[in-house]
Amino acid sequence: MKKIFIILTLSLFAVSYSQKKKEIYLFTSFREPATEGLYLAYSEDGYNWKGLEGSFLKPEIGASKIMRDPSITKGADGTYHMVWTTDWKGGNGFGYASSKDLIYWSKQEYIPVMKNEPEVVNVWAPEIFYDDVKKEYIIIWASTIPFRFAKGVEEEKNNHRMYYVTTKDFKTFSDTKLYYEPGFSVIDCVIVKKGKKDYVLVLKDNTRPMRNIKVAFGKSPLGPFNKSSEPLTEYLSEGPTVVKVGKNWLLYYDNYGSKNYKALSTSDFVHFEDVSSKIKLPEGHKHGTITTISKKVLKGLMEKK
């Protein structure tokens, strides 16, 4: 009887400890016209999101002083690293800042990743991925370099391809390289680690007839990736982000043609279920990414205002 009691006690302690350590989902966002900076929403179940009041970081860099498409990832040391779009057109880099609590931030820096491409039109939607195999960060983004690639009906200044750099410390960066060239204009890519040597690239086919979301598969976060899938979403959708909730993955996206947000659920990135009726997001929520925070960090964010 004593043995059973000890086992039960240990079991209850494990449950209690697990609940105490439970992470909260955090969704980054911005509000048009993107001059106010970083907005945040949190969720305990990955479906229902509550907005945190006001901006948590006002943009100070870039010619336009805007913050679009904020992407945050949590490093192995618990530091949050964020990159964002600083200019809708023009500019050759993106913004960067880091924080331990999402309240107090490092000095904002401008990272000129396309400085060797004088004709570059833009640097859009940088996205951070932490490669836990090589212990480095991969940052990918979309840029147009006129007359560099074959195009369809796109204008030369709207014919995007994906590029990348890697870094271990956000002080020194690798040389910029072409990341993904699917043979068509592509933006808004997100890397997902599904398993060992099993990666998914979620992307937006930005060609005029398509403008929807697809996936491709590879054995490394740097590719190469196979031929992209058929469209998963309807015409005029973009800004995908992915989060693991339970056994399934949720793929959120901005269904901007209909001015709403939608979500798909999948276990394999081949078969998808529309779960849009089950999600709830703050009004005005725009293109961002999802990470996790502790209850302590959430408490600090809620008490900031």
Side-chain angles (χ1 to χ4, degrees), residues 156-219:
E156 282 294 345
K157 293 187 175 182
N158 198 30
N159 190 25
H160 297 80
R161 294 301 187 274
M162 296 298 300
Y163 296 84
Y164 80 98
V165 292
T166 62
T167 182
K168 290 183 181 291
D169 56 12
F170 290 91
K171 294 176 182 175
T172 59
F173 296 83
S174 68
D175 291 338
T176 296
K177 294 180 181 178
L178 183 66
Y179 179 74
Y180 184 53
E181 207 296 77
F184 55 80
S185 181
V186 59
I187 66 173
D188 290 358
C189 287
V190 175
I191 307 167
V192 180
K193 183 174 184 178
K194 189 166 164 279
K196 188 177 181 181
K197 294 186 177 181
D198 187 5
Y199 293 84
V200 182
L201 186 67
V202 185
L203 60 114
K204 179 188 177 183
D205 181 336
N206 199 44
T207 56
R208 299 302 87 185
M210 302 302 288
R211 286 189 272 183
N212 46 34
I213 294 167
K214 302 177 176 180
V215 295
F217 300 90
K219 295 181 180 179

Side-chain angles (χ1 to χ4, degrees), residues 14-292:
V15 171
S16 173
Y17 182 77
S18 172
Q19 288 172 340
K20 195 178 289 185
K21 285 288 183 180
K22 183 182 176 184
E23 292 275 277
I24 308 297
Y25 300 106
L26 187 82
F27 209 148
T28 65
S29 179
F30 70 97
R31 299 289 183 274
E32 296 289 11
T35 53
E36 294 181 17
L38 176 65
Y39 278 75
L40 300 171
Y42 70 95
S43 172
E44 294 191 15
D45 63 5
Y47 286 82
N48 296 285
W49 300 86
K50 296 178 181 177
L52 291 162
E53 185 183 347
S55 169
F56 286 83
L57 184 65
K58 190 173 178 62
E60 299 172 349
I61 57 173
S64 307
K65 300 288 191 298
I66 63 169
M67 180 183 288
R68 300 179 67 90
D69 324 311
S71 171
I72 289 182
T73 194
K74 183 164 58 175
D77 63 351
T79 300
Y80 292 93
H81 299 277
M82 182 171 73
V83 293
W84 65 91
T85 304
T86 60
D87 297 280
W88 180 248
K89 288 186 179 179
N92 60 15
F94 52 75
Y96 167 74
S98 65
S99 176
K100 287 285 188 182
D101 57 9
L102 304 174
I103 297 173
Y104 300 101
W105 291 85
S106 65
K107 183 180 177 182
Q108 295 177 37
E109 298 177 52
Y110 186 79
I111 314 296
V113 287
M114 298 299 272
K115 62 185 178 183
N116 294 326
E117 295 288 354
E119 301 301 316
V120 69
V121 174
N122 55 359
V123 174
W124 275 1
E127 188 83 18
I128 300 183
F129 176 82
Y130 180 66
D131 182 356
D132 59 1
V133 177
K134 292 187 177 180
K135 310 298 182 188
E136 66 183 10
Y137 298 89
I138 301 168
I139 306 167
I140 60 176
W141 68 90
S143 283
T144 291
I145 303 171
F147 305 102
R148 180 66 55 87
F149 299 98
K151 68 179 183 65
V153 296
E154 281 65 53
E155 295 291 334
E156 282 294 345
K157 293 187 175 182
N158 198 30
N159 190 25
H160 297 80
R161 294 301 187 274
M162 296 298 300
Y163 296 84
Y164 80 98
V165 292
T166 62
T167 182
K168 290 183 181 291
D169 56 12
F170 290 91
K171 294 176 182 175
T172 59
F173 296 83
S174 68
D175 291 338
T176 296
K177 294 180 181 178
L178 183 66
Y179 179 74
Y180 184 53
E181 207 296 77
F184 55 80
S185 181
V186 59
I187 66 173
D188 290 358
C189 287
V190 175
I191 307 167
V192 180
K193 183 174 184 178
K194 189 166 164 279
K196 188 177 181 181
K197 294 186 177 181
D198 187 5
Y199 293 84
V200 182
L201 186 67
V202 185
L203 60 114
K204 179 188 177 183
D205 181 336
N206 199 44
T207 56
R208 299 302 87 185
M210 302 302 288
R211 286 189 272 183
N212 46 34
I213 294 167
K214 302 177 176 180
V215 295
F217 300 90
K219 295 181 180 179
S220 157
L222 292 179
F225 294 95
N226 65 4
K227 184 180 177 182
S228 61
S229 69
E230 291 298 311
L232 309 177
T233 63
E234 62 194 80
Y235 180 60
L236 299 182
S237 50
E238 64 182 8
T241 191
V242 178
V243 62
K244 185 81 177 286
V245 178
K247 294 181 179 179
N248 286 347
W249 302 86
L250 291 182
L251 193 167
Y252 279 88
Y253 62 95
D254 187 343
N255 195 46
Y256 69 97
S258 299
K259 297 183 179 179
N260 56 31
Y261 239 82
K262 286 194 169 185
L264 302 173
S265 177
T266 183
S267 60
D268 56 9
F269 288 90
V270 176
H271 306 92
F272 293 86
E273 176 191 359
D274 188 337
V275 293
S276 303
S277 62
K278 299 179 181 179
I279 67 169
K280 186 176 181 181
L281 285 157
E283 187 176 350
H285 185 86
K286 297 290 290 182
H287 186 164
T289 55
I290 300 173
T291 186
T292 59

